[in-house]
């Protein structure tokens, strides 16, 4: 298309499925991106506080990852390799072992699944069932694990589960940490599993997110996670930590469960594993639970050769020493401070999440949506989460500069102030 012409947006409404989502509230036609800034076709720049829903933790088009990928492609490196041995896969596995797994005392095997997080969850659930000979999976309120049939059964949101148009099975749902006021959810689960009349079939696994991203940034305490891990071990169930959104530094450390005194049997990862926004998902599984036979869980796109290239660079660049993690701690404090400013403007609101996975529950999906819409009009891309979309959710690239963070938060706070002063919410 000539440079002086703009894309006719009716092509999206005429030809793209009604299932499209983010573009309804963020209708710009984007053409390029760098770091934490998206540029639309009309030349307008937007600060990105969405980061591909945490798929771009290292920002858009990291120069080192881009250079490595261009070199790989220009040198006729493999574009697709099924699960064949390749130099790029070997280099990624070596980086993962050297900088991520070994330093954390993890002897887990790395299983490459289909390229989505949901596929990693499907594989994890199947592994647990095969390894234990049981079928029941315990999941939690407000958990989000994907929308394919197995993962969907473990997803709490009724809107998404309704998309299945049939019953989802094989999951017992329990209250997440602090879901019910005054109830020790972990103790309740332990009591029910220990009671022959508790009504819960012996589980193959207990699966949870330490911070529920789509569920509203509900952050579990370390005490809750440790209790759940003990219960899983006591009752012969595998502990599955879904780190698809909370991993790769989003919670402040590479894995969201670091420092909690637990070691999961299985960890699911996707989103920012590739470092560059390329599809890549994997399951980390302890060797004793690595029970699948060859191709028992397979897929044409298990592993992504291009993603191996960028993922290796991401690990070596950001996780070979403690500098990046130290930087994340400082930025987490900045985010907390600025979101506290926002919360003080809105009666009854409160902060949620932890690390660089934070937001403000404003008590109303309509209010949260209006704040995000007005922020978008001012040049900030940001979205909501929670059961009613009531949480204004910050998922900026972890590499966002302090200056750009503050600029984005200034926009967000101005948008909230404008919403509170000029809409029906002013009188509420």
């Amino acid at each position: 298309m000539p440079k002086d012409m703009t894309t006719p947006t009716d092509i999206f409404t005429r030809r793209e499925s009604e299932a499209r989502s983010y573009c309804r509230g963020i209708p710009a036609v984007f053409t390029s991106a760098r770091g934490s800034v998206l540029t639309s076709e009309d030349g307008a720049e937007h600060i990105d506080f969405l980061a591909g829903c945490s798929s771009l933790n290292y920002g858009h088009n990291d120069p080192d990852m881009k250079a490595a990928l261009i070199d790989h492609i220009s040198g006729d490196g493999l574009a697709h390799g099924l699960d064949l041995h390749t130099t790029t896969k070997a280099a990624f596995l070596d980086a993962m072992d050297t900088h991520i797994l070994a330093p954390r005392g993890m002897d887990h095997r790395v299983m490459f699944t289909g390229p989505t997080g949901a596929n990693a969850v499907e594989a994890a659930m199947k592994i647990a069932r095969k390894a234990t000979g049981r079928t029941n999976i315990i999941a939690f309120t407000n958990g989000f694990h994907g929308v394919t049939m197995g993962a969907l059964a473990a997803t709490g949101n009724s809107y998404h589960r309704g998309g299945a148009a049939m019953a989802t099975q094989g999951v017992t749902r329990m209250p997440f940490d602090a879901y019910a006021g005054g109830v020790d959810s972990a103790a309740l689960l332990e009591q029910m599993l220990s009671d022959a009349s508790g009504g819960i079939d012996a589980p193959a696994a207990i699966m949870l997110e330490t911070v529920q991203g789509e569920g509203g940034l509900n952050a579990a305490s370390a005490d809750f996670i440790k209790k759940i891990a003990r219960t899983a071990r006591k009752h012969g169930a595998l502990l599955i930590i879904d780190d698809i959104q909370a991993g790769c530094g989003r919670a402040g450390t590479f894995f969201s469960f670091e420092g909690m005194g637990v070691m999961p049997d299985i960890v699911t990862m996707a989103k920012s594993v590739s470092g560059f926004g390329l599809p890549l998902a994997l399951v980390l599984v302890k060797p004793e639970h690595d029970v699948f036979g060859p191709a028992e869980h397979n897929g044409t796109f298990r592993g992504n050769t291009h993603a191996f290239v960028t993922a290796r660079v991401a690990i070596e660049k950001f996780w070979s020493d403690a500098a990046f993690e130290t930087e994340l701690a400082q930025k987490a404090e900045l985010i907390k401070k600025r979101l506290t400013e926002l919360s003080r403007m809105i009666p009854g609101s409160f902060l949620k999440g932890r690390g660089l996975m934070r937001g403000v529950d404003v008590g109303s999906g309509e209010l949260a949506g209006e704040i995000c819409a007005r922020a978008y009009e001012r040049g900030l891309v940001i979205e909501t989460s929670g059961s009613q979309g009531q949480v204004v959710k910050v998922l900026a690239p972890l590499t966002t500069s302090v200056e750009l963070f503050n600029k984005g938060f200034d926009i967000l706070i101005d948008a909230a102030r404008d919403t509170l002063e000029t809409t029906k919410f002013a009188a509420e």
Side-chain angles (χ1 to χ4, degrees), residues 57-58 248-254 318-319 322-335 355-356 397-399:
N57 282 3
Y58 312 106
C248 296
R250 178 57 60 185
T253 50
F254 186 84
F318 294 102
W319 299 102
F324 187 58
E325 191 171 315
T326 299
E327 180 185 322
L328 295 184
Q330 297 167 348
K331 289 179 178 178
E333 286 302 309
L334 169 63
I335 293 170
L356 291 89
L398 308 181
T399 52

Side-chain angles (χ1 to χ4, degrees), residues 331-341 351 355 358:
K331 289 179 178 178
E333 286 302 309
L334 169 63
I335 293 170
K336 180 179 179 180
K337 177 183 176 182
R338 297 307 308 267
L339 285 178
T340 299
E341 291 179 41
L351 268 63
R358 280 191 174 272

Side-chain angles (χ1 to χ4, degrees), residues 86-154:
T86 65
T87 54
T88 51
K89 184 198 290 187
F92 165 72
L93 286 170
D94 184 66
M96 189 77 176
D97 182 32
T98 301
H99 301 297
I100 304 299
L101 299 178
R104 291 162 178 81
M106 298 175 68
D107 62 350
H108 294 60
R109 302 276 178 84
V110 182
M111 174 184 172
F112 299 107
T113 68
T116 67
N119 197 286
V121 169
E122 296 279 355
M125 295 170 76
K126 286 168 61 177
I127 289 170
R129 286 169 171 147
K130 183 171 183 180
T132 64
R134 302 171 178 177
T135 59
N136 189 31
I137 304 285
I138 292 175
F140 293 87
T141 51
N142 286 307
F144 185 91
H145 300 285
V147 295
T148 51
M149 291 301 291
L152 188 59

Side-chain angles (χ1 to χ4, degrees), residues 57-393:
N57 282 3
Y58 312 106
H60 296 266
N61 285 300
D62 175 89
D64 297 308
M65 297 182 212
K66 180 169 65 175
L69 182 58
I70 289 172
D71 286 346
H72 176 82
I73 294 172
S74 63
D76 291 334
L78 269 70
H80 182 273
L82 293 171
D83 66 356
L84 296 172
H85 292 166
T86 65
T87 54
T88 51
K89 184 198 290 187
F92 165 72
L93 286 170
D94 184 66
M96 189 77 176
D97 182 32
T98 301
H99 301 297
I100 304 299
L101 299 178
R104 291 162 178 81
M106 298 175 68
D107 62 350
H108 294 60
R109 302 276 178 84
V110 182
M111 174 184 172
F112 299 107
T113 68
T116 67
N119 197 286
V121 169
E122 296 279 355
M125 295 170 76
K126 286 168 61 177
I127 289 170
R129 286 169 171 147
K130 183 171 183 180
T132 64
R134 302 171 178 177
T135 59
N136 189 31
I137 304 285
I138 292 175
F140 293 87
T141 51
N142 286 307
F144 185 91
H145 300 285
V147 295
T148 51
M149 291 301 291
L152 188 59
T155 292
N157 186 279
S158 60
Y159 173 80
H160 291 290
R161 284 189 289 109
M166 64 179 291
T168 53
Q169 302 174 344
V171 169
T172 297
R173 202 171 320 281
M174 294 297 293
F176 193 65
D177 192 17
Y179 176 79
V183 176
D184 185 333
S185 301
L188 175 63
L189 174 60
E190 167 59 29
Q191 182 177 354
M192 293 179 72
L193 285 174
S194 297
D195 184 349
S197 294
I200 300 179
D201 293 336
I206 303 177
M207 181 167 66
L208 75 162
E209 306 153 273
T210 67
V211 185
Q212 296 181 322
E214 299 308 299
L217 298 178
N218 308 305
S221 67
D223 182 61
F224 175 82
I225 298 297
K226 283 188 284 191
K227 287 179 179 178
I228 294 297
R230 285 198 297 268
T231 294
R233 186 165 56 250
K234 176 181 176 181
H235 294 279
L238 305 192
L239 177 64
I240 302 174
I241 298 290
D242 182 340
D243 241 8
I244 290 166
Q245 188 168 140
C248 296
R250 178 57 60 185
T253 50
F254 186 84
F255 295 111
S256 71
F257 52 84
E258 291 182 45
M260 289 187 166
V262 300
M263 183 58 71
D265 297 292
I266 298 175
V267 184
T268 60
M269 304 196 76
K271 290 192 182 289
S272 278
V273 170
S274 80
F276 202 69
L278 297 173
L280 180 65
L282 53 86
V283 172
L284 304 177
V285 55
K286 286 185 175 180
E288 61 267 33
H289 306 310
D290 187 23
V291 295
F292 281 151
E296 193 168 1
H297 184 96
N298 64 15
T300 305
F301 295 99
R302 58 192 184 278
N304 179 338
T305 303
H306 291 161
F308 290 152
V309 174
T310 56
R312 173 192 61 79
V313 176
I315 290 172
E316 293 176 348
K317 179 174 181 177
F318 294 102
W319 299 102
S320 60
D321 58 35
F324 187 58
E325 191 171 315
T326 299
E327 180 185 322
L328 295 184
Q330 297 167 348
K331 289 179 178 178
E333 286 302 309
L334 169 63
I335 293 170
K336 180 179 179 180
K337 177 183 176 182
R338 297 307 308 267
L339 285 178
T340 299
E341 291 179 41
L342 175 63
S343 181
R344 286 172 179 162
M345 297 170 55
I346 305 170
S349 67
F350 54 95
L351 268 63
K352 300 192 74 176
R354 65 181 173 90
L356 291 89
M357 191 175 182
R358 280 191 174 272
V360 174
D361 188 321
V362 301
S364 159
E366 189 177 0
L367 175 55
E370 185 63 28
I371 290 171
C372 290
R374 292 183 180 229
Y376 166 71
E377 292 171 358
R378 290 166 166 77
L380 177 68
V381 171
I382 187 169
E383 266 289 349
T384 65
S385 73
S387 57
Q388 304 296 324
Q390 75 277 16
V391 179
V392 177
K393 178 182 180 183

